[in-house]
Amino acid sequence: MSVLHEGSEPPRHRGPVRAPQSLAGGLLLVALAALALFLTRDLDQGTLNSMGPAMLPRWLAVGVGLSGLALLAAAFLKDGDLLERWSLRGPVFVIGAIVAFALTIRGYSFGAFAIPGLGLLVAGPLAIILGGFATPEARLRELVILGLSLTPFCMVLFGDLLNLPIPVFPQALTSLFPADWSQKAVLRACAALMTAGAIVVYLATRNRHSGPVDVADHSGRI
């Protein structure tokens, strides 16, 4: 990370590329968008009233691609940072989170090895927590609260409002609720319990993570 002293200007780069970091980021986003569009080419997009499985990922890929193009344009128009050294921690945890999500949401079996389908109820928080540790500043408490807050929102959005065929919770979980409850009723109850869990974790741990407030006056005045 470059550090600029007071009064100094960003380093000027020779050649047409004025921001190598923006150029690399833009190329990566465009490549990811192209890959997503290629993988969803055979899926039905549907309409706004009846969304298909390709609607969300396809338009998300379009947004990512446009962001990449904006970064590419900025790389030639505005001075920016050079490429910095990077470690394997970020890619390893992000890829690990994606793999863990894919293996647990629908289940996976390979010979005698089998992972049961746990649905978004488990796969969502697991992916958020693993992906969050891609940065060394990650804290388990914040990641747990984020996972317990964001997952119920996704459960209600995709499983209840949009009616997408996404496994939301393990089927064995339905036996814990009254037999006359519908799938959506169980979904809403699980989402409410996860949201309550996030609030409980926040309230139970906030005092442990609130450090002393420095109220000293460093201006030199008495």
Side-chain angles (χ1 to χ4, degrees):
M1 194 171 181
S2 59
V3 178
L4 299 177
H5 298 285
E6 186 177 355
S8 62
E9 297 182 354
R12 297 187 177 277
H13 310 288
R14 298 178 180 179
V17 180
R18 303 173 63 180
Q21 195 173 100
S22 297
L23 177 65
L27 290 175
L28 179 61
L29 292 181
V30 170
L32 289 175
L35 177 61
L37 291 174
F38 174 77
L39 294 176
T40 59
R41 68 190 186 281
D42 296 329
L43 297 178
D44 180 31
Q45 179 169 299
T47 63
L48 291 178
N49 292 329
S50 179
M51 297 178 65
M55 174 74 77
L56 182 63
R58 187 170 293 166
W59 284 102
L60 180 61
V62 170
V64 170
L66 292 176
S67 299
L69 292 176
L71 279 177
L72 288 176
F76 295 93
L77 300 176
K78 186 178 180 181
D79 290 332
D81 295 330
L82 294 170
L83 287 175
E84 302 175 358
R85 295 183 59 185
W86 56 280
S87 66
L88 290 176
R89 174 173 180 150
V92 166
F93 274 98
V94 170
I95 294 175
I98 296 173
V99 172
F101 183 86
L103 293 178
T104 56
I105 188 169
R106 292 185 181 273
Y108 176 79
S109 61
F110 182 76
F113 177 75
I115 300 176
L118 301 176
L120 191 60
L121 180 72
V122 177
L126 179 62
I128 291 173
I129 293 173
L130 287 179
F133 278 103
T135 172
E137 290 83 11
R139 295 182 180 180
L140 181 60
R141 171 182 178 268
E142 281 79 2
L143 292 176
V144 169
I145 295 174
L146 178 63
L148 293 177
S149 303
L150 186 59
T151 301
F153 170 77
C154 296
M155 290 168 58
V156 173
L157 175 63
F158 298 122
D160 191 356
L161 300 179
L162 299 180
N163 293 314
L164 295 181
I166 298 176
V168 177
F169 49 83
Q171 290 300 317
L173 194 64
T174 56
S175 61
L176 301 177
F177 295 90
D180 57 342
W181 280 26
S182 64
Q183 293 283 328
K184 287 192 174 183
V186 176
L187 183 154
R188 294 165 186 166
C190 291
L193 289 174
M194 293 187 71
T195 304
I199 297 174
V200 170
V201 172
Y202 171 76
L203 295 177
T205 59
R206 62 175 179 175
N207 292 331
R208 302 177 187 176
H209 292 78
S210 58
V213 179
D214 185 8
V215 296
D217 187 357
H218 299 285
S219 62
R221 294 178 295 179
I222 301 178

